[in-house]
Amino acid sequence: PSAQAAKIKLCLALDTGGVDDRSFNQGAWEGAKSSPVANAEYLAAASSADFAPNIKAFVDKKCELIIGVGFAIAGEIVKSAKANPKIAYAIVDNDGGDCDANFVCKPVKNVKGLTFQTDEASFLAGYLSAGMTKTGKVATYGGAPYPSVTIFMDGYVRGVDYYNKVKGKKVSVLGWNTTTKTGSFVGNFTDQNAALTLSKGFEQQGADIILPVGGNLGAPYAAANEKTKKALTIWVDSDGYGLLPAGKSTLLTTVVKEIGTSIKLVASDVANKKFTGALYVGTLKNKGISLAPYHDLSSRVPGQLKLEVRKIRDQIIAGTLKI
Amino acid sequence: MKKIRSNVQKRRLQGVIIISLLSSLSFLYFGLLKPGKDVTTFGFVLNNEWVIIKEWIIASQTGARIFSAISLVASALAIFAYKKERTIVFPVAIASFGILMSFLTWIASGKFIPFTGLLQGGLLLSIPLIFGSMSGLVCERSGVINIAIEGQLLASAFVSGVVASVTQQAWWGLLAAPFAGAAISYLLATFAIKFSVDQVILGFVINVLVIGLTDFLYKKLLIPHQNTWNSPPTFEVIPIPILSKIPVLGPIFFTQSIVVYLMFAIVAGVTFALYKTKWGLRTRAVGEHPTAADTVGIDVNKLRFRNVMIAGFIAGVGGAFYTVGSVGAFGKEMTAGAGFIALAALIFGKWSPIGALFAALLFGFATNLQSTLSIIGVAIPSEFMLMVPYIATIIAVTGLVGRVRAPAADGIPYSRGGSH
Amino acid sequence: MKKVISRIAQSIKLPGLSFLMAFTITGIIIALSDEKVMNKIGSPIEFLKSAGASVGNAYLALFQGSIYDNRLIKGNIFEGFYPFFETIVTATPLILTGLSVALAFKSGLFNIGAQGQFIFGAIGASYVGFRFDLPVGIHIIAAATAGMFLAAIWGGIVGFLKARTGAHEVILTIMMNYIAGYFILWLLKTKTFLRPGRIDPIAPEVLDSAKLPLLAGENFRIHAGIFIALAAALFVWWLLTKTTIGYKFRAVGANSQAARTAGISVPFVITATMMICGALAGLGGAVHVLGSEHSLNADVAGSLGFDAITVALLGRAQPLGTVFAALLFGALHTGGRMMQSNTGVPLDIVVVTQGLIVLFIAAPVFVRYIFRLKKLNTSAALTSKGWNG
Amino acid sequence: MSLELKGITKTFGSFTANDSIDLKVETGQIHAILGENGAGKSTLMNIVYGLLKADSGEILIDGKKVEISEPSDALNVGIGMVHQHFMLIPVFTVAENIMLGHEKSNKFRVLDLDQARAAIRTISEDFGLQVDPDAIVETLPVGIQQKVEIIKALIYEAKVLILDEPTAVLTPQETDELLNTMRDLKSKGTSIIFITHKLREVRAVADQITIIRRGKVIGAVSPSTSEAELASMMVGRAVDLAPAKYQHETGGPILEVKNLTVRDALGTSIVKGVNFHVNSGEVLAVAGVQGNGQSELARALINLEEHIEGSILLDGKEIRGSSIKQSLHAGIAFIPESRELDGVIGSFSIAENLILDLHGQAPYSKGLNLSAKVVHSEAEKRVTEFDIRTQSIMDSVSTLSGGNKQKVVIARELSRPIKVLVASQPTRGLDVGSIEFVHERILAQRDAGRGVILFSTELDEVMALADRIAVMYRGEILDIVGSNVTREELGLLMAGITSAKAGAK
Ligand SMILES: Nc1ncnc2c1ncn2[C@@H]1O[C@H](COP(=O)(O)OP(=O)(O)OP(=O)(O)O)[C@@H](O)[C@H]1O
Ligand SMILES: Nc1ncnc2c1ncn2[C@@H]1O[C@H](COP(=O)(O)OP(=O)(O)OP(=O)(O)O)[C@@H](O)[C@H]1O
Ligand SMILES: [Mg+2]
Ligand SMILES: [Mg+2]
């Protein structure tokens, strides 16, 4: 692009988790802040009742790009977009479609959906875990049974299943069942003490790799593990290696969901007047999602397993492996 | 003419009927009609305690029958005790245990139940609740309603986390936390006692203030500088020599961090002090009939003030449990409503320390039981599993506890000649 | 005339001073947390100036965000009041949940369960709203009634259990709030409730015929719910002061033993109160869904059920007081949003301000003490009556 | 030790409760204070005891001025007090109650209850006040509770003992015992201030009488003054101490009780299969020492108790097992024993209290609606008719004096169609003026042909009002006697000793 003109005004309407949730709100905000073409600001919501007024406040402030962070805000984003066709909108974790009474949906021109095929990456994490486990048991749990949470767990379980199929092994996954859609949850995203106890429950069942899907919830066990070394942790959303204050030495990898990258992408589209409402799907292919490096544990992951994981990734990208 | 029973007998009858019914049902269902087909494995060893049995493997059906049979026998004993107009607490406790075990052997057919871990986890989940309800107890026994338990826990978790992080000493965090709890108490005491503010409003407001301020500081201070401000070390587990080696009991009671031992000490201390010492006598007097206490020269408001402060110290240790005892960092709103559950436990336990202790333990155990079941893959929708501790509490409160009586002067500010 | 003015001045003196104190304390926090201000700590004058500016801007934003903002006027002065209408929209469900808690206090009960009751009200209204196709007026009534009905049952369970077994309503309502929270999460995944084409927990939008009419056109969100809320306040007032049932409620609330001796059925009062409280909070949920949210989601209740307790207590459990308290909370919340977006003061600070205002209003003796006002009476009116009811 | 009060003045807002009161109690003197309800007696005593602060005036002990701003100051200078409202912790044992405030602990900081028990035993023996140190206070009959109060005061070795209406809840025997104890104390040099509404007691023990009216000292008189004179000084007008009871025809049984058993929550029977009836136009008094089941029997008559067996026939119709409301509406008026707890709702206005069991009926309500107009106009009428002393019918009942509260209860209960009046201790704690009023009303009901069941521990009251007297002892009706029984015979019956004299059944 040519020499930067004035930066665009990028406004994030956050979900109720708050900007410091070590999860998608935080990822989105950090991405927005680091965008070179935009001045970013955000509004936090205390409940879903705040979504509409927050968006309206952005419209009044003449934001040029308004991004709803979280599927819950989709409805209000679409409504506002239809009323303000000149403003560019985006919505994280939703396709931003406008549905009629019969639930026939069509895309809205000025809304870009930012969705992620998260299970592709957690599939890799599942395969990796199955290859790494010594006890033959791995585990996953969530904060609350939201679909944006369970999609990680789904992919993870399928990854393990795939490993079993390929290798003829019997690694089992505790904490989630893809057919009954039932599993282990803390019940909220704040009670870290309960999450720690739950993780210990997995440990007692013999699981030696745990994937917690719940923002901060997994942090205490990751930290505790540094002493006990009983299990490895897999983080989600943003690479836990830079994020976690403790537990790096037992952090196997992270199922990365590049919300920030996708937001920077939309921002630069808007700045360069290339914005369209076409759906964005973060995949392994476009690096919208990825499996983070193994960092400190790199040496412990067998080279063969590394290769296999890379191969599966390529197969998924190529479309030859359907997960 | 219908036979008239006393309320106690009525409640006993209710209990006897429920327990007998459940025992029979569990025998029928788990033992005969829908038996588990596989074996169930119970694990007993958690750390390095002496091993008597490491694992106990039993055919699910047989196990369910054995345990149901135990509960049936206990139910019969309960009926006998009821007939003799004696307490049915012990047979009912045994029967409940039998039913629970029978259920576990049935549902975990083909699975593993870490029995010791199940109990230990339940205890750990109830630690903050116990501290919280002891704080409530010391306040309310002297006549000040404490709804600010949540605020006390959260504020002290915050302060202990920050202090321990800055000093890199868990001990400093543990020492600082009670003062944070006491600071909240100071607010409660001053406004409730000195300025006669409605104590329920006050409690809610204090919670709101603490949540607001800790969220704010978390965002402004702890997130940007997490390595300095929010990386507290946690206490190591201190196994008590010999005792920690006892199977089952050792890992639960004698292989814990200092905060858990403090919990036992505080419950024992509060129980002793409340019923056996001068302080306790006066505290209870002031909570029941402050004017009467006043007429024998007890300074009602001074004692109440002091007790509210003590309560703050107690809750403070509970707050420290979160950061330096367990989690190892402060998290936004990490108490997640524990203060309110503690309040419920206090009421459930009829404002007695032991009662509150058991109520909190029940809640913690129910929570961990549902976790364990979800881990072994019980195909009940997770949302319903998560309801288990709350439903269990409702059943226990309505079925076993019934009417409770708060200290008579609880919540009423005292001023001379004000009320009589 | 003079007398009237001085009477009015007298009656707003204490609340006024309470506000002043709350805003002063929050002002200090705002100034101290503003980096621009703290950078100037070296020179006192500059520091004070910039602190003043920082706080002034924040409070200006609070006002503009909740009452009136002339920057919004594009042609019509009316548009400047957009924030005020937003305040009313926020306050509407709060009035209803607040009334629910207030009514319970009058019967000597402590209803912490407005949260769960609200959720069931929202569920009922949403279901009827999207599932059935009914004529305009009737649809709204049917949806609201369904919500109230479910919530009345949910509240009634508490009343029934307390009346039957004596179990304490505080425990029951706390537990039932959690259960309701998980229940709605489950419900939104069922075929019946999950919006086709979506996997995240959100129900279909209610049909247009079930939406509450907008009062000021498409550009404003203010809807007829406020009239429902005010009517409910009137109803509660009428019930409590003008009817035999309300008389029974108050009698049991004030002295249940004497009420029983005089032949009033205490179990009936407990059950009936909790059912009506449930219906009120449920109506709150219904109005919230039919008026401003339009579709049910897992977080539909936010913290409305808990704010309701503070609102009711602040309103001294009186219907009119509750209405004003809810409006105040609504204003602080909507204004806080503008404060957040214009000056970067986080929402948490608004929460703190709310808390401080309630604290000082509930502590007249303290305010008198601080400002050295005469008449330092020590007895204070208690709204809640402790655990023994 | 002598106690002197000089110019004690105390105001509550604009109301003067004590107006420059002077009073002197000599060493070893029993000094009675008489006065109507609300005259300011308790206020004055609370000032002496440090519970209230006087606006002006001074307190002298043995001629020296003392500052008493806390109860502990009073205890320190040797003033003890038995309060009008019990100052006992209901859930504590006797020993705990008595040691409260001056607890002794052993070296492990454990409360030394044994010492308290021993102290109680000593005092019990010295003054003949038998109590079990380990009994929970709330389970004890009020008479025993009163003894606990007195022991509490004595254990401090008070030199000046204030007794504020200690006999209001005592039976004649207990009262006599207390009077003896007082004499005993006096002989040991203790000065006593004795407040009571019962003129007989005053004349029996007092050395000096001070009369207070509306916060002012009206005069000091000697105990030889006649009861009628004392009464008129108190009230400010002539009082009829013995209500005129005209003989008249009684009708047939209006309320019959057969085999009635009442049990408490633990299943113990408190009333054991009693049988009696009351005729229309008759007063049946149920006498007995407090705690022999009368309270429960009274409550059972309107189904207030939870466990009742047997039969209660009102005008031939079974009402046992119906709801409280049905019992009341069937035609029973009920004056409960405790007006504060059961009779009135303190925070409600007088008008509202007057419709507590009538609010669902015409003309007070129509459908759901309460008719405020009717409620108010009827309240105005009642206030005039029953002479309830108040500024306005909108004043809350908690602002009324005890006598006026009782009038509110009576006004409410007697202003609806009734067949039977059940009155439980209707004059407890009332002054002579109010007692006169209540007695008149009860007799008026009898004369109007209603059945009256009067539960009372006051022998004088029973003797004055009853046509027949049922004596309860340990949950049973020992005997039913005619009104020609003597005080002594009645006293014996109440103590459980059946005499040969058979009553008219
Ligand atoms: N704390 C108070 N505030 C306002 N008024 C009070 C207070 N205490 C007492 N009074 C009023 O002062 C007056 C005197 O009351 P006090 O209790 O001294 O009467 P009393 O002579 O003891 O009556 P009784 O024979 O009924 O015991 C009454 O009118 C009472 O209502
Ligand atoms: N115990 C109860 N259980 C269920 N409903 C009751 C109960 N008590 C009263 N109600 C209902 O509440 C409403 C008003 O109560 P209630 O009938 O007690 O009023 P009321 O006007 O005082 O009655 P009444 O005129 O019979 O004295 C009525 O519709 C009644 O059916
Ligand atoms: Mg008195
Ligand atoms: Mg009626």
Side-chain angles (χ1 to χ4, degrees), chain A residues 189-233:
Chain A
F189 291 88
T190 56
D191 196 340
Q192 301 184 3
N193 183 41
L196 182 61
T197 312
L198 184 58
S199 303
K200 284 193 184 142
F202 284 118
E203 184 186 293
Q204 287 153 14
Q205 289 279 355
D208 62 351
I209 299 174
I210 301 178
L211 167 74
V213 190
N216 262 335
L217 287 181
Y221 187 68
N225 240 337
E226 229 160 20
K227 290 176 210 159
T228 61
K229 303 246 188 278
K230 289 230 167 130
L232 303 177
T233 304

Side-chain angles (χ1 to χ4, degrees), chain C residues 41-223:
Chain C
I41 193 114
S43 82
I45 304 231
E46 283 295 301
F47 175 74
L48 284 180
K49 254 198 210 157
S50 102
S54 165
V55 175
N57 281 336
Y59 287 157
L60 178 64
L62 189 65
F63 177 78
Q64 286 174 333
S66 60
I67 311 284
Y68 177 76
D69 187 351
N70 56 5
R71 295 169 306 173
L72 294 175
I73 300 175
K74 296 206 181 78
N76 186 340
I77 187 131
F78 192 61
E79 289 162 343
F81 285 102
Y82 178 85
F84 182 64
F85 292 140
E86 278 298 301
T87 293
I88 291 178
V89 172
T90 315
T92 302
L94 209 46
I95 294 175
L96 287 162
T97 46
L99 287 171
S100 161
V101 180
L103 179 65
F105 274 129
K106 286 289 179 190
S107 298
L109 297 168
F110 191 7
N111 178 21
I112 303 191
Q115 184 82 5
Q117 295 148 14
F118 184 96
I119 288 177
F120 275 88
I123 290 174
S126 158
Y127 183 71
V128 174
F130 70 72
R131 185 76 182 70
F132 300 102
D133 204 353
L134 298 170
V136 173
I138 296 175
H139 203 175
I140 293 176
I141 294 173
T145 311
M148 284 168 72
F149 178 74
L150 282 188
I153 292 178
W154 192 248
I157 292 174
V158 173
F160 175 77
L161 289 177
K162 182 181 170 92
R164 273 304 293 262
T165 69
H168 207 286
E169 78 274 9
V170 164
I171 310 183
L172 296 176
T173 47
I174 289 178
M175 301 298 146
M176 296 211 14
N177 283 341
Y178 283 99
I179 295 174
Y182 289 126
F183 180 77
I184 189 176
L185 207 54
W186 171 80
L187 194 71
L188 284 170
K189 283 195 214 152
T190 60
K191 267 219 185 72
T192 327
F193 271 85
L194 183 60
R195 188 188 290 193
R198 292 284 287 265
I199 49 163
D200 44 79
I202 189 160
E205 195 165 308
V206 296
L207 303 181
D208 283 344
S209 56
K211 288 179 186 165
L212 288 168
L214 295 176
L215 296 180
E218 282 294 320
N219 293 329
F220 297 87
R221 295 201 308 151
I222 182 165
H223 54 82

